[in-house]
Amino acid sequence: MPDRTYYITTPIYYVNDVPHIGHAYTTIAADVAARFKRLAGYDTFFLTGTDEHGINVERVAQRNGVTPQAWTDRVAAEFRTLWEVLNISHDDFIRTTEPRHERVAAGLFQTLYDKGDIYLGKYEGWYCASCESFYLESELGPDKTCPVHTGRKTEWTAEESYLFRLSKYQDWWLRYVAEHPGSIEPEARRNEVTSFVRSGLKDLSVSRSTFTWGVPVPFDRRHVIYVWIDALTNYISALGYPDGERFARFWPASVHLVGKEIVRFHAVYWPIMLHAAGIAVPEQTFAHGWLTFGGQRFSKSLGIVIDPAALAREIAAEAGVDVPIAVDALRYFLLREIPFGADGDFNKVALVHRFNADLANDYGNLLNRTIPQVERHFGGAVPAPGPSRGNDGLLRETAASVAEELDALITRLDFSRALGEIWRLLGVANKYLDEEAPWRSIKTDPERAGTALYNTLEAVRIATVLLSPWLPTATTRVWGQLGIGSPLSSQRLDDARRWGGLAPGTRVRPGPPIFPRIEKAKDGARSPGAVKVAADVAQRSKTEEPEGTRVDNSISIDEFRKLDIRVAEVLEAARVPNTDKLIEAKIDLGGEVRTIITGLVPQYQPEELVGKRIIVLANLEPRRVRGVDSHGMLLAAEWEGQVALLTVEKNAPKGARIT
Ligand code: MSP
């Protein structure tokens, strides 16, 4: 068993709201950290769940004419389903209505009471029913509104209540945080809660007697435990506190990942309760920023809800990929675009841009530019590298330094920098491949071409292992195309640290492109959940992605050389059903048979094409047309409605390059 443990949690989500992209943001971040720590060899535990008690849930159930339990069962199931779609790898899902939780919440309450830290009193204050929280007058917005729920009035509430002696622990807390500054991150949040504590802690109301949907106070059944105290306990109840094996193994938590609005509960109240009960305090609370849409927080009441599953379906339809790949793109985008800790506005134009530029071009394309070469020139077997020279060393060193830095970056939850590092490796690999151009050197120096292909594929292997926490589906498919025998799931960070893990002779398995470019938002591909976002992309893609804006239309010889134009022979051709112009042609590129969809009707009929020697742009990105992968483009002259296919003057062999 590994000697290092990593226990990460998300907040447990309220069941009075539908799951939306804000919840997904936290959960995806926690999932990536958990997957990465598993990869790095930590004994890892990842917990999420639902917060099911409280007045708000009781009210929403009533409004819907069902019992609170029936309501929570329904919404908890929605969260679980969403986590499945988003490929979340939690080890446990805790619900606060489960007996295993209620037992622990009541037990901790009893312990604090027995120690004299909970007493019966009266609580008065400004109460926000949405937050289930009291606020100081100085914290309220205009007209005594809630500081979190803009515009929502707080109520002056006075009731008999059990109180927890928070004030008694103020000095302990200030000392503890001064000695353990890393226990609250980022620093701005630490400063914020520190000044809140310095301004004076008041004892905290920890029970309610005006409604019943909660865990009863064990020694006074007229009260239920305040929902926040109940909820925080989930982090230990899920581990089987006090005597569970998991508790001994994973507590204290490495990190409670939360949104910035609930840092006070996690970084002040929770550690004080634990300390008072004689339980070790968590190592860290990390508060990330808010995800907004058009500058506003997601909220059902404001009508701003993006359903991440609907969004993934929409991206999938636009890109012609399946939903798990679209989910990968969303996971990647959220953690690449916004530095973790800061606020960020969700924007689908930026998502499409990242999909095309980062995932399709920089990562996916690296595979498309190498695997076919291995197929064509090395019979599909990864060539053995020859002596090292030129930029081989730079590529190797970049891979080593990137793999070395990642664990520390993930410990700091610096996802965007971690991805930036992996992209540094992909950038060096792409440049290396451009410069080495094995498709050219194959003629003059096949050994060097083989070395360049080997090194590039080895960089792809390392990047793929490192990227697996963000892109669990895509990396598995890339791994499949690399043809490596042992599954990606068996790889460890150490495998990414070692250069040379790709065995020469490995048989590559070419497949369709994993991230085909999204050309533009297509009509009819929009699902209701993401409709606002779709409108945004349709409008902006027109203005932001102008085509043909080059001032000077000359290209360099190097740009021309990127075009892989070759002679091919048409083997079969047939009309694509229900289309006016399209022909599906099977062509032979000299040993490699491809399918190309081309719009030649009525100028050519399919049968005229069979047996013709034609010219094909072979390295055009594959596209899905009418459900068929079209890989390449037939070149033809076009004038005044006429079309003539290009051909070669002499009987050049299939596969011959046009230079
Ligand atoms: N039930 C409490 C948490 C108890 S934990 C012991 C709660 N639930 S919640 O459903 O309101 O979830 C809040 C959390 O969801 C935030 O702290 C954050 O992690 C995530 N987010 C919800 N909306 C979000 C955004 N718009 N942006 C970023 N995170 C968001 O509070």
Side-chain angles (χ1 to χ4, degrees):
M1 175 154 313
D3 52 357
R4 297 174 304 176
T5 58
Y6 187 76
Y7 175 29
I8 186 165
T9 65
T10 70
I12 48 172
Y13 303 107
Y14 285 135
V15 290
N16 49 341
D17 203 355
V18 288
H20 58 64
I21 200 165
H23 305 122
Y25 182 54
T26 313
T27 311
I28 289 172
D31 184 60
V32 169
R35 285 177 183 269
F36 191 91
K37 290 295 176 178
R38 289 188 200 113
L39 182 73
Y42 291 70
D43 183 21
T44 299
F45 195 75
F46 168 24
L47 178 68
T48 190
T50 38
D51 188 353
E52 305 187 348
H53 288 130
I55 182 86
N56 289 325
V57 175
E58 196 176 87
R59 281 183 190 154
V60 87
Q62 236 163 30
R63 276 203 299 277
N64 284 277
V66 293
T67 62
Q69 190 63 56
W71 177 261
T72 61
D73 287 348
R74 188 194 298 171
V75 182
E78 282 183 35
F79 273 99
R80 278 183 195 271
T81 306
L82 179 61
W83 301 155
E84 248 171 66
V85 172
L86 297 183
N87 231 326
I88 303 301
S89 67
H90 49 284
D91 296 292
D92 198 354
F93 186 101
I94 183 91
R95 300 180 54 187
T96 53
T97 54
E98 288 177 79
R100 63 167 175 155
H101 170 78
E102 295 192 348
R103 214 170 27 240
V104 174
L108 185 65
F109 203 89
Q110 181 79 52
T111 305
L112 294 171
Y113 182 70
D114 293 344
K115 293 198 170 203
D117 279 336
I118 285 180
Y119 61 96
L120 188 61
K122 194 166 105 172
Y123 200 87
E124 290 183 316
W126 296 104
Y127 187 73
C128 169
S130 295
C131 294
E132 310 247 21
S133 181
F134 282 98
Y135 288 97
L136 300 173
E137 184 142 2
S138 58
E139 294 177 297
L140 300 179
D143 285 336
K144 312 267 183 281
T145 49
C146 169
V148 173
H149 296 89
T150 319
R152 182 175 176 124
K153 286 223 175 202
T154 57
E155 292 159 46
W156 180 258
T157 309
E159 62 180 80
E160 180 193 89
S161 169
Y162 284 93
L163 298 177
F164 173 62
R165 293 189 201 283
L166 209 55
S167 55
K168 177 177 156 191
Y169 293 98
Q170 176 169 332
D171 292 341
W172 170 80
W173 189 93
L174 287 168
R175 254 197 332 274
Y176 182 83
V177 172
E179 283 163 15
H180 303 85
S183 63
I184 307 166
E185 293 286 353
E187 194 187 353
R189 302 288 156 237
R190 186 189 324 135
N191 295 340
E192 194 178 284
V193 281
T194 304
S195 68
F196 164 74
V197 174
R198 278 216 189 94
S199 73
L201 284 179
K202 286 202 333 178
D203 287 355
L204 179 71
S205 161
V206 289
S207 75
R208 295 286 179 274
S209 56
T210 50
F211 63 92
T212 55
W213 183 239
V215 180
V217 167
F219 45 85
D220 185 347
R221 300 264 148 184
R222 295 170 307 147
H223 288 251
V224 291
I225 299 175
Y226 171 41
V227 66
W228 261 104
I229 301 302
D230 166 6
L232 288 163
T233 319
N234 89 87
Y235 301 130
I236 58 173
S237 67
L239 298 183
Y241 173 81
D243 47 15
E245 176 271 333
R246 280 172 170 185
F247 183 75
R249 185 156 140 214
F250 293 110
W251 193 257
S254 312
V255 55
H256 290 318
L257 193 58
V258 299
K260 67 181 183 182
E261 80 289 1
I262 57 174
V263 66
R264 183 184 300 177
F265 297 93
H266 284 81
V268 181
Y269 304 161
W270 177 229
I272 290 182
M273 276 167 60
L274 289 166
H275 175 69
I279 305 170
V281 304
E283 284 166 22
Q284 184 177 82
T285 293
F286 188 104
H288 64 69
W290 280 347
L291 198 60
T292 53
F293 182 68
Q296 287 188 289
R297 261 189 97 191
F298 295 98
S299 111
K300 200 169 55 177
S301 49
L302 293 175
I304 303 174
V305 173
I306 293 181
D307 169 6
L311 179 63
R313 286 195 297 272
E314 185 179 295
I315 299 166
E318 284 171 16
V321 295
D322 51 18
V323 171
I325 291 290
V327 162
D328 277 8
L330 183 61
R331 293 168 60 102
Y332 169 76
F333 171 75
L334 289 175
L335 295 176
R336 176 78 197 252
E337 188 76 3
I338 308 161
F340 205 59
D343 294 341
D345 207 46
F346 180 83
N347 171 344
K348 206 180 134 198
V349 175
L351 192 158
V352 169
H353 178 75
R354 290 261 178 213
F355 187 104
N356 285 342
D358 300 0
L359 299 174
N361 257 16
D362 296 340
Y363 181 45
N365 213 21
L366 209 43
L367 209 63
N368 308 337
R369 296 171 72 199
T370 46
I371 298 239
Q373 303 283 326
V374 173
E375 276 283 283
R376 199 170 306 139
H377 304 299
F378 296 91
V382 173
S388 178
R389 68 170 208 239
N391 281 331
D392 296 1
L394 173 70
L395 187 58
R396 221 174 21 239
E397 282 149 27
T398 308
S401 81
V402 169
E404 208 47 55
E405 280 169 58
L406 279 201
D407 192 27
L409 288 170
I410 297 299
T411 301
R412 298 209 298 274
L413 301 175
D414 197 345
F415 300 106
S416 52
R417 260 196 63 199
L419 287 168
E421 279 297 287
I422 301 175
W423 253 258
R424 181 161 70 87
L425 170 59
L426 293 174
V428 171
N430 272 299
K431 187 150 180 280
Y432 173 85
L433 189 62
D434 290 345
E435 285 167 5
E436 287 292 332
W439 45 91
R440 249 180 292 139
S441 58
I442 190 75
K443 288 183 214 124
T444 49
D445 187 353
E447 190 195 34
R448 183 62 202 161
T451 304
L453 286 171
Y454 177 86
N455 286 337
T456 311
L457 284 169
E458 176 59 358
V460 172
R461 178 191 71 85
I462 290 170
T464 299
V465 173
L466 297 178
L467 274 173
S468 59
W470 285 269
L471 309 174
T473 303
T475 50
T476 306
R477 292 188 191 168
V478 170
W479 200 255
Q481 295 199 9
L482 289 175
I484 299 171
S486 52
L488 179 59
S489 56
S490 71
Q491 299 297 298
R492 290 290 163 262
L493 186 57
D494 280 344
D495 298 303
R497 287 203 182 105
R498 272 192 291 272
W499 185 266
L502 179 62
T506 302
R507 298 208 74 86
V508 294
R509 276 183 275 144
I514 291 157
F515 292 108
R517 280 181 71 83
I518 302 176
E519 293 307 338
K520 58 177 184 276
K522 288 184 195 112
D523 289 333
R526 287 167 203 157
S527 42
V531 82
K532 276 170 174 285
V533 197
D536 183 49
V537 81
Q539 191 195 6
R540 306 227 359 225
S541 61
K542 279 201 203 101
T543 52
E544 290 192 358
E545 292 178 6
E547 275 177 11
T549 49
R550 285 183 87 112
V551 197
D552 165 9
N553 65 1
S554 62
I555 61 167
S556 69
I557 187 70
D558 278 338
E559 281 176 284
F560 174 73
R561 282 198 186 115
K562 284 188 189 159
L563 304 177
D564 185 8
I565 307 177
R566 287 188 284 137
V567 177
E569 185 180 299
V570 180
L571 300 177
E572 295 166 28
R575 287 285 292 269
V576 177
N578 306 322
T579 63
D580 291 332
K581 293 176 76 97
L582 299 184
I583 292 177
E584 179 177 343
K586 284 226 172 344
I587 58 154
D588 182 352
L589 271 163
E592 190 192 348
V593 175
R594 297 248 191 113
T595 301
I596 291 186
I597 306 282
T598 176
L600 288 174
V601 182
Q603 290 86 351
Y604 286 90
Q605 292 306 320
E607 51 283 5
E608 291 174 69
L609 298 180
V610 177
K612 268 204 165 49
R613 288 273 150 125
I614 44 144
I615 309 297
V616 170
L617 176 61
N619 63 344
L620 184 71
E621 281 177 342
R623 292 202 50 188
R624 238 180 135 67
V625 182
R626 298 277 167 159
V628 179
D629 283 318
S630 173
H631 194 177
M633 182 165 89
L634 268 61
L635 300 186
E638 228 184 314
W639 74 103
E640 294 170 0
Q642 300 197 55
V643 172
L645 278 169
L646 256 58
T647 186
V648 269
E649 211 210 332
K650 289 188 190 156
N651 200 10
K654 290 173 279 189
R657 268 205 76 165
I658 315 295
T659 55

